[in-house]
Each structure stands twice: as C-alpha cells, then as structure tokens.
Amino acid sequence: MIVIDADTVHELMDWTLAIEALRAGHRGGRPAIDDLLMKNTDRAFLIRASWVPGGAVGLKAVTVFPQNPGRQPPLPAVQGQFLLFDGESGAVSAVIDGAAITAWKTAGDSALGADLLARPDVDCLAMIGAGAMSEPLVRAHLSVRPSIGRIVLGNRTRARAEGLAGRLADTGRRIELADDIDSAVAEGDVISVATMAREPIIRGALLRPGAHVDLVGAYTPDMREADDDVFARGRLFVDARETTLHEIGELMIPLAAGAIRESDVQGDLFDLVPAADAGSRARGAADEITVYKNGGGAHLDLMTAGAIHHAWLQRHRL
C-alpha cells in the first residue's frame, strides 16, 4: 500500500493532467456514487464513495471546519484521506491526502465545465470568494482559457482578497480588487463562485451577455450562491445529475419553489464530454449565458486519485 501525502500530490499533479483525467473518466459508463453528510452547526463530516463498473473503488472521508484558518496556529478548513482500492483484488492500492485531492478535483471539475461551455475568447475572470479553493480555481480556469487577461476578485473582507491577489501575482495577469461582489460579477466573462453563502449573492440581472457562471461553493441542502435570475437568464448544466439535483440547495431550493424544473438541466459531464468528442458543442450563440453547477462527487475524487496513483507509479517506475 502506498501513502501519498499532500506535498507529493501537488508535486505530481498539474492542471492538464487533472482535467484530462476527469475528461477521460466521463467517456465511460456512469459509476456508482453514494454519500454520507453529517453536520454540526457550520462544521461537516463528509464521506463519499464510488465504484467504477469493472474498475477501481474509492472512498474519501473529510471534515470541513470553516473556522480552522483563523486558529492559532492556523489549520486547513478541509482535512481527510482518500482510500483507493484495486478493482480486481479489492486491496487498498493507496492512501492519498483527501484535501489535496479535493483541491485538484474541484478546480479541475470547474475548469472542464468552462472548457466545454465558456466562450473561447473570454478576457475577464471574476473570482468570488477568497477561501481555500479560490487560488486553485483561478489557476485551473487560466489553464483552459489562456485568453483571460484580467482577474477581478470579489470577497466580503478586503484583507483576504488582498492575500489572494498576492498569491496570484505570478500568473502575469492584471489583478483587480472589486469594491463589492456585485461589481465583480458585472465585470466577469467567467464568474467562479466559491463561498459559504446560504443566501444568494450572485444576481443574474448583473450578468454580461455571453458570461459563464461557475457555481462551486454550495454543497449542502441549505446553501445557495445564485438567485433565480441566474437560472432564468442562463442555460443550466451540472457536473452530475446524481450529485446536484436533489442533494444541493443551489438546485433543490429553486426546484422546490418552481423557479426551475429538472428538465432545465441541459446536460452533465457524461453528456457533454462524449458530445464534444463527436464535434458537438453545448454553447450556442456568443451572447448566451451558461451556468454550471459543480456539485462534486466521489467519482471525481476517484478519477483524480487514479491519475495521482498512476503518476506516482511512473515516478517510481513501478
């Protein structure tokens, strides 16, 4: 059994590898997925499991403690481990740092969605939120849309946005701090949102024609980032119907209110990737607004873990 820590994961991975592993994983059949989510106030314990038909098995167990970065000394908000099981023998092939997988998987998921849906000539990326996922999301989006020349940061507290700006200085892009979230949203050709919001903070009325909205943060039934106008103005896509429609408040709440219907989901990655391979593109007119809900799922962790494990074996020539 191999143990792969966070530092090694980050050494082994790059965005091309992460995104292509996810793309390849959506060319086959749908894997089995199951989740267990336990909550205690704003803290969460999440267990996600997946089994690819005829392939590998994986399980991730992580805690989400949002106050950890403010501790002295600071601790990561997300901590845990991923178990990768061999699909033939059932043996544990590797134990991989769960938070590291989460970063590569989550940002890679959003970047794959943007690669399939965003205009090829986008110029401005608006990053809403300055938490742990904000930096990987920016870097992942830049990898699939190198046309991006401006990054506008919108966050409730300016100090955290300034810290994120400093970490992104090496991207070579022009980085701006917005006065508020609304002004950042109004600037974005791609708007990536990774917050802990429980009430909508993204107003659809502000979206530019042709914008692509990447909704990442809402992961529980009581969380939501986008208002009804976002869905009214945009065509809706998700990473997987199984992990979004009846699992996450972003869609559950407007579904229950009648603001959207299940049939409004135009497709998920299991539809979009094979269609793109066949030469069909989901985006229509250039001024069309696309909305992508990144719901995550153990199958994405499993795809990412497989890429990490393969890269480790290649490094060690095994």
Side-chain angles (χ1 to χ4, degrees):
M1 181 183 70
I2 300 164
V3 177
I4 306 177
D5 63 17
D7 289 342
T8 304
V9 170
H10 298 317
E11 290 170 8
L12 292 170
M13 292 295 281
D14 60 45
W15 291 115
T16 298
L17 180 60
I19 294 163
E20 291 311 308
L22 295 177
R23 199 189 307 269
H26 288 89
R27 292 183 171 122
R30 291 179 181 264
I33 307 169
D34 206 356
D35 288 354
L36 170 65
L37 174 65
M38 303 174 69
K39 294 194 68 185
N40 184 343
T41 64
D42 64 340
R43 300 174 177 181
F45 177 47
L46 179 62
I47 298 175
R48 300 191 126 169
S50 181
W51 194 333
V52 176
V57 185
L59 180 146
K60 184 176 77 172
V62 296
T63 55
V64 183
F65 281 44
Q67 305 306 318
N68 273 359
R71 290 176 177 268
Q72 294 300 326
L75 292 172
V78 180
Q79 301 175 87
Q81 297 291 331
F82 184 93
L83 295 178
L84 177 64
F85 297 85
D86 181 81
E88 292 294 324
S89 68
V92 178
S93 301
V95 179
I96 307 173
D97 185 86
I101 283 183
T102 297
W104 288 97
K105 174 265 298 189
T106 303
D109 178 351
S110 285
L112 178 56
D115 193 38
L116 294 163
L117 296 169
R119 295 190 340 260
D121 61 345
V122 292
D123 173 65
C124 180
L125 168 64
M127 183 69 236
I128 310 302
M133 278 308 309
S134 57
E135 182 181 349
L137 280 164
V138 169
R139 295 185 185 278
H141 279 300
L142 293 179
S143 76
V144 296
R145 287 296 181 269
S147 62
I148 292 170
R150 296 171 58 218
I151 302 169
V152 178
L153 307 179
N155 193 59
R156 288 183 306 163
T157 57
R158 190 173 181 87
R160 294 193 73 177
E162 289 173 346
L164 175 59
R167 297 193 299 276
L168 295 172
D170 66 342
T171 62
R173 270 66 173 192
R174 177 180 169 188
I175 301 175
E176 304 169 13
L177 272 61
D179 292 332
D180 52 41
I181 289 173
D182 279 356
S183 59
V185 170
E187 290 288 317
D189 297 314
V190 174
I191 301 104
S192 187
V193 194
T195 71
M196 299 295 289
R198 281 174 167 74
E199 298 293 334
I201 58 172
I202 305 303
R203 297 200 291 141
L206 300 174
L207 296 175
R208 301 178 63 180
H212 173 72
V213 183
D214 169 42
L215 300 170
V216 184
Y219 63 91
T220 67
D222 61 343
M223 297 176 76
R224 190 177 178 190
E225 295 179 316
D227 70 5
D228 289 348
D229 283 344
V230 171
F231 301 115
R233 293 192 65 198
R235 293 179 66 220
L236 175 60
F237 300 84
V238 299
D239 54 4
R241 289 177 174 87
E242 299 91 329
T243 62
T244 53
L245 278 168
H246 302 291
E247 302 292 330
I248 292 172
E250 194 75 81
L251 300 186
M252 291 173 65
I253 295 169
L255 276 169
I260 62 171
R261 299 166 297 177
E262 289 192 30
S263 59
D264 289 328
V265 175
Q266 303 291 302
D268 66 10
L269 290 178
F270 291 101
D271 305 314
L272 294 171
V273 169
D277 288 345
S280 175
R281 295 296 171 183
R283 167 171 283 278
D287 62 353
E288 182 177 81
I289 293 170
T290 52
V291 182
Y292 180 76
K293 177 53 196 164
N294 176 335
H299 61 302
L300 303 174
D301 294 300
L302 183 55
M303 295 170 192
T304 306
I308 294 167
H309 183 231
H310 181 69
W312 190 95
L313 293 175
Q314 285 192 315
R315 171 184 281 190
H316 294 273
R317 303 183 184 279
L318 296 177

